[in-house]
Every structure is written in structure tokens, then in C-alpha cells.
Amino acid sequence: MDDAGPLAKTSAASRLRSCKRDVLDRWTRRVLDDPRAPAPRRGERPVLVDAAPALLEHLIEALAASRLAGEDAALRGAYERVEDHARRCVTRGRCIEAALRELSHLRAALLEECVAQGIALGAGEAQVLHAVVDASMWTSALEIERATRAALEDSGARLRLATQAGGVGVWDYDTVIGKLRWDDRCREVCGLEPASDVDYELFLSAIHPDDRARVQEAVLRSQAPESGGEYSIEYRLVGIRDGIERWVCVQGRTFFDATGRSVRMIGTAIDISDRKRAEAARLDDLAFRDRFLAALSHYLRTPLTAVTLASSTLVRHGNLTPRQATSVEGIAASARRMARTIDDLLDLTRSCFGDSIPIARRPGNLHVLCKGAIDELRATRAGVPIRLDLRGSGAGLWDPERIAQMVTNLVQNAVDHAEPGSAVRVAIRPRGGDVLIEVHNEGPEIAPERLATLFEPWQQASPAEGRASAGRGLGLGLFIAHQIARAHGGVIEVASQAERGTTFTARLPRRGAGARG
């Protein structure tokens, strides 16, 4: 009924204003306890919690403005305030479902409070209340839609700029109806004109025949829910109209419906032909260098063998004077160093071609092998004391020649970089089923940035890090030593500090039945 007098209507608005706090508390409880709210929102802080007090005040003002006939201007003003408030409280990213649901709860809370307080609303007032709330909901929805659309358009514009600047193509594949959409960059990479029509069969025909099956397998794998929808692959395209072969890197993701069926794939394509050509050129250069070193090593070995045999014959049967014998021994020593250098080059070429250094294990004593290698070094590098500490058992399965080569390289490196007047210490000791070979010298600290590349080939010491080696300068000694340790199933580690010196530790598994520590 709408027959209450002006006093009653004024009283209704006034009484509602006096219990605003109760209305807001009731509204908050309804929002937080709403069983139909989206799961992530249930129990969280209401979206409109900061805007609700002012919005409620505008609703009460609209009710008050409706009490007198002919007050259309006042009512329109109340409507405008409500709509203006809705526009201002809507922010980008606002959840439209939550906002509209909370506005509905505000209307219900106000009506429930009217019943609880015995406040009777006339028919006109009820109509105004519903109309104002509906207007607020409508305005909020429009503003949220506008803000969302603007944000999407802005994001799309930024994405287009980014993809254009980076030469990135964007594609979209509807897996349900089989429709494929490419942007102009994707068409360009595939050797097509910008206006050309595309479909999935055309895409497959553009893939290099040697890569086609691999690409199809990757597409099907990404459309299986257990794959997570990830799609990442590099392959070759042959331009449909220009015939140019191009490499592309394609990244994408598959989206699934509630039943786990793939419905859409979206992704990017980048032309990586320049990178692939640079990689191929680099591999060709490395292969040429390795083939050259292998050929050179083999060619040098023949004349070197003749020099070695001739010097040995002269030493044994040449009836040489002491001075002549010294000269011939120098020739023999140089030949041995050159032979070791050739062996290092051959080992390097094997590693570069993907082969491990060959070893032939047999039962032996690591103590004896290391002592022999160190005794030989002592004879040639008498200026630097080399101290050997043997502990436990050296029994195991080793390649004697390779172990001697590894120890020689490690100790030679320590001697070359030892502090003048200091000694190089070599300790061999057991640890579980392994044997440790520790080579320590006092000298300059190895720079931290060099530790990561220390066991790579061609790593020579800088003048600040040590003195020139008496026998080796190719920077292969530590690389070969590390490869020998790996071939035995072990590893070499290094620790270097200015106050403690440098220690190389080779850890080798015994691999010997019945070996004891």
C-alpha cells in the first residue's frame, strides 16, 4: 500500500538512516556466508566493502526524495548520485559476478532490516528501492565491461607492438572445427602473401618432410590432458611460394574443456634461421679444426717415431762423448714431450667427436702407478720438491698408462704454478669405495670466474696466475686429466684460496673385486 502520509514516509527514511550500521553488518554477513559465491571469493573481504556505506546513504536519500509528489528533480538527483557512485567504485580487474551479487545482498539486507525494525515501506518506496539498486547494478556492469574491454584492447595493442618489434608471429588453432588462423608474420615465415588463406593441411604441407612426423607427434602430444597442454618445438619450413627453407621456434599451449577434450591451441612462431645458420657454421668450423688436429697428429707421429728410435740407438751404441750424450738425451726428452703433446691432441679430438678417452682397466696398485709418474717428474723438475703421502691400499682396477698420464698432468700443473721455494704435496688415501688423489701447491689463487672453465680445452694460465710451463703450453693438461678421471667413472674437483693454496682432488672408484681400504 502507498497510502501512508508524508510523516510516515519521512520516518521510514529517518529510521533507516539511524540503523545504517545494522544494515551494513547484515549485508557483510550475507556476502561472506553466500553459498553461491565463487569458491575463491567465499569468506573473503567483500568487493564493495569500502563503497557500501556511501551507496546505502544514496539509497536512503532516494527513498526520502520519493516521499512527495512532484519531486522528480530530487529523485533524479538521487539516481544520478547512485550511478555516479557506481562508476567511481568500479575499478579495473573487479569481479563483475561478485560486485553484482553484493549489490543484490545490499538490497536484501535493507529489506530484512526494515522487517526487523518494523519499518513499513510503501509501494512507491519499494519500487524506488528496487529501481535504484537495479540502476546501480546496471551501471556497474556497464562500467566493468567498458574497463575490461579497454584493458583488453590496450593489452592487445601492446602485444601487437611487442610481436611486431620482435618478429614474432601469432597463431590460433581451433581443434574442434579444425580452423587455423595466422597473422601476417606467420604467413611471411611460411613463404605466403599476407592475404593468403591458410588451413591445417596447408600448414602440414609447408613443414620439411624430414620434420613433419615429429611436428605432428608434438601437436598430438600437447592435445593429451596429461601433457599439461605444453607445445614447444623447433623445425624447418619450406616456403610454399618462395621455396626458401627456414627454421622456426614454435611455442604454444592447448586448452581443454571440462571433459578434458582439447578445444583450442594458441601460440607464437619465431624465425630462428639466422641462429641455426650461425650454429651450423660454428659446428663446421669446430669439425674442420678437429679433423685438422687429428690429421696433423697422425702425420707428426711418423717422423717423431724415427727421431725417438734414432736418439735411443745413439745413446746405447753411439760411443758418444759426455757432451754428445747430453745433447742426444735432450733430443730424446724433447721427443717424449712432443709425443705427449700429440697424445693430448688425439685425446682432444676423440672428446670433441663425442668419444670418451679409451681405457683398458686391469688389476693394479694406484700407489705404484702414481709413484712411478712422480719419480719421472722429479727427474725433470728437480727445482720443485714433490712430496708423496701414501695411505691405505691402492688396489683396484685401473688403466696404468692413463692413470700415469692423469697424475703427471695434475702434478705438472701444480709444479708450474707453485710458489718459489715451496713444495708440491701429493696424497693418496681411501674414502669408502673410492681412492682420492690430492695434489696441492702453494701459489696464486685461481680467479673464481676461471674455475667454471678450468677443465675445458685450451685453458692456459695468465701471466698473473703462474709461470710458464717448461713442457706444455696448449692448455690441454687439466682437460685430459679430467677426461681420464671421467672414463674411470670418477671426477676431479678443485679448491683454491689465497691463504690455503690450490688443491686438485681426483676421486676414482676402485671397481676392483676384493679391494680393501
Side-chain angles (χ1 to χ4, degrees):
M1 300 283 299
D2 194 18
D3 55 359
L7 182 60
K9 294 179 180 178
T10 303
S11 176
S14 299
R15 291 176 65 185
L16 278 173
R17 185 170 284 112
S18 67
C19 59
K20 281 175 56 178
R21 184 69 264 167
D22 295 330
V23 174
L24 291 173
D25 288 344
R26 188 183 295 273
W27 168 76
T28 302
R29 288 195 301 272
R30 288 184 62 89
V31 170
L32 297 183
D33 297 338
D34 186 354
R36 295 176 300 166
R41 294 230 54 87
R42 198 176 304 145
E44 293 183 3
R45 185 173 184 265
V47 167
L48 301 178
V49 66
D50 296 326
L55 185 56
L56 178 58
E57 177 62 31
H58 293 320
L59 288 173
I60 295 173
E61 288 179 6
L63 291 176
S66 68
R67 74 187 187 279
L68 297 175
E71 290 290 334
D72 291 342
L75 187 56
R76 284 197 302 273
Y79 270 98
E80 290 173 358
R81 285 193 294 274
V82 171
E83 292 176 353
D84 181 62
H85 182 78
R87 277 189 288 270
R88 285 186 285 107
C89 75
V90 170
T91 58
R92 182 178 298 179
R94 174 72 47 81
C95 174
I96 188 169
E97 181 181 0
L100 297 183
R101 190 176 294 278
E102 290 181 11
L103 285 170
S104 176
H105 281 306
L106 183 60
R107 170 167 43 197
L110 195 150
L111 292 173
E112 289 174 356
E113 191 63 27
C114 285
V115 173
Q117 297 291 335
I119 301 173
L121 296 178
E125 289 175 316
Q127 291 175 359
V128 168
L129 173 63
H130 290 298
V132 172
V133 172
D134 289 343
S136 179
M137 296 173 71
W138 177 257
T139 303
S140 296
L142 289 177
E143 289 299 313
I144 291 174
E145 181 189 21
R146 184 196 60 77
T148 303
R149 186 166 55 248
L152 288 174
E153 291 175 353
D154 182 61
S155 298
R158 286 188 280 115
L159 177 60
R160 285 191 295 273
L161 286 174
T163 54
Q164 290 170 4
V168 180
V170 179
W171 52 269
D172 186 345
Y173 177 43
D174 187 324
T175 59
V176 177
I177 63 176
K179 185 175 182 180
L180 181 63
R181 290 182 287 271
W182 284 353
D183 67 357
D184 291 345
R185 179 57 179 163
C186 281
R187 289 183 172 84
E188 180 184 351
V189 172
C190 207
L192 290 173
E193 297 295 330
S196 301
D197 293 331
V198 295
D199 56 35
Y200 193 74
E201 293 303 319
L202 180 72
F203 158 66
L204 289 179
S205 69
I207 301 173
H208 192 286
D210 294 343
D211 296 343
R212 192 170 296 147
R214 182 168 58 89
V215 174
Q216 287 181 291
E217 180 184 354
V219 171
L220 291 175
R221 187 169 56 248
S222 74
Q223 293 180 12
E226 59 270 18
S227 71
E230 293 293 335
Y231 178 60
S232 177
I233 190 171
E234 295 180 359
Y235 56 86
R236 290 165 292 177
L237 290 171
V238 179
I240 294 175
R241 296 191 179 178
D242 59 19
I244 298 175
E245 182 178 297
R246 300 175 178 88
W247 273 95
V248 290
C249 174
V250 180
Q251 304 280 343
R253 177 177 290 277
T254 299
F255 296 89
F256 305 91
D257 63 14
T259 66
R261 181 185 63 164
S262 67
V263 294
R264 191 178 185 187
M265 293 181 69
I266 300 175
T268 61
I270 302 176
D271 187 338
I272 57 171
S273 302
D274 290 343
R275 192 194 82 191
K276 286 291 186 178
R277 282 192 288 267
E279 290 176 356
R282 179 176 175 272
L283 291 176
D284 288 342
D285 290 344
L286 291 175
F288 173 79
R289 185 192 70 182
D290 294 337
R291 288 193 297 270
F292 172 77
L293 290 176
L296 179 63
S297 301
H298 284 291
Y299 280 122
L300 290 177
R301 190 176 291 279
T302 299
L304 182 62
T305 301
V307 172
T308 302
L309 290 174
S311 60
S312 299
T313 301
L314 285 173
V315 168
R316 293 178 183 177
H317 309 293
N319 296 321
L320 304 175
T321 65
R323 184 173 181 180
Q324 291 172 332
T326 301
S327 297
V328 172
E329 180 55 39
I331 293 173
S334 296
R336 288 192 295 271
R337 286 198 301 272
M338 189 173 181
R340 287 196 295 268
T341 300
I342 292 174
D343 289 339
D344 284 351
L345 289 174
L346 289 174
D347 289 337
L348 172 67
T349 55
R350 291 191 188 99
S351 299
C352 290
F353 282 119
D355 299 328
S356 60
I357 289 182
I359 62 172
R361 293 189 183 91
R362 57 178 183 268
N365 191 322
L366 197 62
H367 293 176
V368 175
L369 298 177
C370 293
K371 186 176 184 304
I374 291 172
D375 286 344
E376 183 178 344
L377 280 171
R378 283 171 173 160
T380 58
R381 303 300 300 273
V384 179
I386 303 175
R387 298 172 183 169
L388 180 60
D389 179 18
L390 304 176
R391 304 176 190 175
S393 169
L397 287 176
W398 327 103
D399 182 318
E401 288 76 19
R402 290 298 189 181
I403 290 295
Q405 184 183 6
M406 181 190 73
V407 172
T408 298
N409 288 1
L410 292 176
V411 177
Q412 178 73 65
N413 178 75
V415 169
D416 290 344
H417 298 87
E419 198 70 37
S422 66
V424 170
R425 295 189 295 276
V426 181
I428 302 176
R429 58 188 179 88
R431 175 183 288 177
D434 302 331
V435 179
L436 303 185
I437 303 174
E438 298 174 337
V439 180
H440 173 82
N441 73 300
E442 298 177 6
E445 177 184 7
I446 300 175
E449 61 270 16
R450 289 205 58 223
L451 290 175
T453 61
L454 200 60
F455 295 107
E456 295 180 4
W458 318 113
Q459 296 299 311
Q460 296 174 310
S462 64
E465 292 176 315
R467 288 144 294 284
S469 169
R472 303 190 182 207
L474 293 179
L476 296 177
L478 294 178
F479 169 75
I480 299 299
H482 192 237
Q483 294 299 310
I484 293 173
R486 289 180 61 187
H488 279 81
V491 68
I492 298 179
E493 300 171 338
V494 59
S496 183
Q497 295 180 349
E499 61 275 12
R500 296 185 179 180
T502 298
T503 301
F504 285 84
T505 302
R507 177 173 53 81
L508 304 176
R510 291 183 187 274
R511 301 279 180 90
R516 297 288 184 269

